[in-house]
Amino acid sequence: MRILLISPRGPLYRHRTGIMKKSLRYAPLTLTTLAALVPAELNAEVTMLDEGIEAIDLDLAADLVAISCITGTALRAYELADQFRRRGIPVVLGGVHPTLLPDEAQLHGDAVVVGYAEESWPELLCDFAAGRLKPRYTQRPGFTLAGLTPPRRELLHPGNYTMFHTVEATRGCVHKCDFCVVPTAWGGPYLRPVQEVVDEIRRLETRRLIFLDLNLISEREYAGELFAALIPLRLTWGGLATIGIASDAELLDLAARSGCRGLLLGFESLCHESLLETRKGMNTRKDYHEVVRQLHDRDIAIMGCFAFGFDHDTRDSFADTVDFVLNAGIDLPRYAILTPFPATPLFQRLKSEGRILTENWDLYDAQHVVFRPEQMTPEELLRGTELAWKRTYSYPSIVRRLLKARTQLAAAIPANLGYRFYANNLSRFYTCREALL
Ligand code: SF4
């Protein structure tokens, strides 16, 4: 059996035509995990195609194609699925978007996988081999990460990724931010036994890695146990957390001692009301300057994420946020346009208020405006965000931020130059907006 696994990309990140350079990519785990889950008795030949780094040959021979997509890549996934199906090749669709909207995905796939695929994907493959493929495979209750099959990383080319060694310790998240797909699609958190994580890292024989977990500190006790177990491995690692880590000196010390040198943190907004509105109340009691100080004191660089477009945001929000980012010395800031992903509470609210402007999923990439903001026009939201990117990544701003941060400069300087390129090329990807606004 020949199985083709595909990760499609939206226009922003597609190979050659997208903005992001290859150098900013981490090796994904989805396809390598799916490859590892193929039952050995099927003697399958597995090919993986990541459209972020290579073009997809639609003439490739396959008996079964499986495509994993997010909302921003769903239309591309459907386009690819339709083309393979026209050649008579059955297609399976999975990932977060088909999990959120399985009935829509079903229109383009012979089978849809809803939820995590650890159990359903091997079952689906055995059914396919026996000629009894079902249209829908849904994650069963009681899902656990214990005994996870290690991803088949040998199927990836290390030279295609700036960070080849990626690992996951947890999935899902304990919080319920109203714009986030995680609580709607998967809930969680799901925790891997710490010893299994440590064993996998030892097998990788590396000292540098990235945790792809959506929120490493979802469960405080687990995070402490994990960080303590990492200390003897003498790693340098980065990952994602919430800003709550800055108020927990013991946990932050453990993270630093275990080799944490960079964290992606969702600040989201400077506005108290916006944080409450989006159910990110855990950020409201935090002094953001102090958060930055606590991490920098431990030599941990910050990728700080902010979103624009909350109902309480005004035209001043852009400048206020950039001022904060420059004054605080955030190492690598990122701005998103608030995006109501389908089936999330935010989408449902905006839909009921008649404020969703388009359900063209290509534009659901967090850099286009897909809903009517409360206190500005869609065009102002788009332009304000683009200007925030440009101001943040002007050369004087980069120098000012990094001089203040003085943290992990060997990595922060090239990363800033990469994001400067991104900021200055965003407008090339706003071509669809005239149809939208
Ligand atoms: S903390 Fe992060 S991962 Fe968790 S629900 Fe909020 S946005 Fe999603």
Side-chain angles (χ1 to χ4, degrees), residues 173 175-177 179-180 183 242 280 282:
C173 181
H175 299 295
K176 304 220 173 328
C177 308
F179 57 84
C180 181
T242 58
K280 197 125 192 174
M282 70 268 197

Side-chain angles (χ1 to χ4, degrees), residues 22-338:
K22 184 178 77 176
S23 61
L24 291 179
R25 292 180 191 288
Y26 303 143
L29 286 176
T30 308
L31 298 191
T32 47
T33 298
L34 290 175
L37 292 167
V38 175
E41 64 269 24
L42 295 180
N43 281 323
E45 179 191 312
V46 180
T47 305
M48 299 191 326
L49 292 173
D50 177 353
E51 201 180 11
I53 56 159
E54 60 193 318
I56 291 179
D57 177 2
L58 293 167
D59 294 323
L60 271 177
D63 298 305
L64 184 70
V65 171
I67 307 177
S68 176
C69 64
I70 58 174
T71 297
T73 63
L75 296 186
R76 175 65 175 160
Y78 296 160
E79 184 187 341
L80 292 169
D82 294 346
Q83 300 210 36
F84 281 110
R85 291 176 92 199
R86 273 199 288 277
R87 286 177 51 205
I89 303 172
V91 172
V92 180
L93 289 162
V96 66
H97 188 78
T99 294
L100 294 171
L101 297 181
D103 293 342
E104 178 192 282
Q106 202 81 63
L107 300 174
H108 303 271
D110 297 273
V112 173
V113 175
V114 177
Y116 295 128
E118 262 71 16
E119 289 175 357
S120 44
W121 172 235
E123 180 191 334
L124 179 155
L125 288 172
C126 292
D127 284 356
F128 177 70
R132 49 164 197 259
L133 185 67
K134 296 195 280 277
R136 185 89 43 107
Y137 291 81
T138 303
Q139 178 191 323
R140 297 192 190 98
F143 176 75
T144 169
L145 289 180
L148 208 60
T149 314
R152 287 190 60 190
R153 296 182 178 84
E154 77 278 9
L155 295 176
L156 294 176
H157 193 292
N160 285 334
Y161 302 96
T162 185
M163 178 55 78
F164 184 63
H165 293 112
T166 50
V167 177
E168 62 180 349
T170 68
R171 288 190 198 166
C173 181
V174 74
H175 299 295
K176 304 220 173 328
C177 308
D178 80 337
F179 57 84
C180 181
V181 294
V182 175
T184 305
W186 300 298
Y190 304 91
L191 311 172
R192 268 181 96 183
V194 166
Q195 192 55 48
E196 292 186 19
V197 180
V198 169
D199 290 345
E200 184 180 345
I201 293 172
R202 283 192 197 282
R203 283 196 300 273
L204 293 179
E205 295 182 351
T206 183
R207 286 278 165 84
R208 291 179 66 235
L209 58 88
I210 298 281
F211 282 98
L212 295 184
D213 307 46
L214 298 159
N215 177 13
L216 259 175
I217 64 161
S218 259
E219 292 282 348
R220 198 274 178 211
E221 236 180 84
Y222 175 86
E225 195 191 327
L226 175 69
F227 298 160
L230 295 180
I231 293 171
L233 305 186
R234 302 175 62 194
L235 299 169
T236 297
W237 63 267
L240 289 71
T242 58
I243 64 172
I245 195 169
S247 350
D248 187 335
E250 190 189 341
L251 189 61
L252 194 53
D253 283 339
L254 273 175
R257 285 177 55 211
S258 71
C260 178
R261 294 295 172 262
L263 282 177
L264 183 150
L265 300 177
F267 291 86
E268 316 304 358
S269 176
L270 302 182
C271 170
H272 180 88
E273 289 77 16
S274 295
L275 293 170
L276 290 180
E277 163 197 326
T278 198
R279 301 187 198 163
K280 197 125 192 174
M282 70 268 197
N283 279 20
T284 56
R285 293 173 298 280
K286 305 288 186 297
D287 173 349
Y288 281 1
H289 281 280
E290 184 59 21
V291 169
V292 175
R293 224 178 349 260
Q294 289 295 333
L295 269 77
H296 283 169
D297 280 353
R298 291 165 175 86
D299 205 19
I300 298 174
I302 301 168
M303 181 183 273
C305 298
F306 299 84
F308 296 120
F310 297 107
D311 283 358
H312 291 86
D313 280 354
T314 67
R315 294 176 191 88
D316 295 331
S317 300
F318 307 105
D320 292 347
T321 305
V322 175
D323 287 346
F324 163 73
V325 156
L326 300 187
N327 290 334
I330 296 215
D331 311 70
L332 202 60
R334 275 173 51 168
Y335 305 114
I337 292 174
L338 185 66

Side-chain angles (χ1 to χ4, degrees), residues 392-403 416-417 420:
T392 300
Y393 284 97
S394 70
Y395 282 126
S397 296
I398 292 175
V399 171
R400 181 172 160 194
R401 284 187 292 101
L402 295 187
L403 276 179
N416 267 272
L417 295 177
R420 178 183 154 80

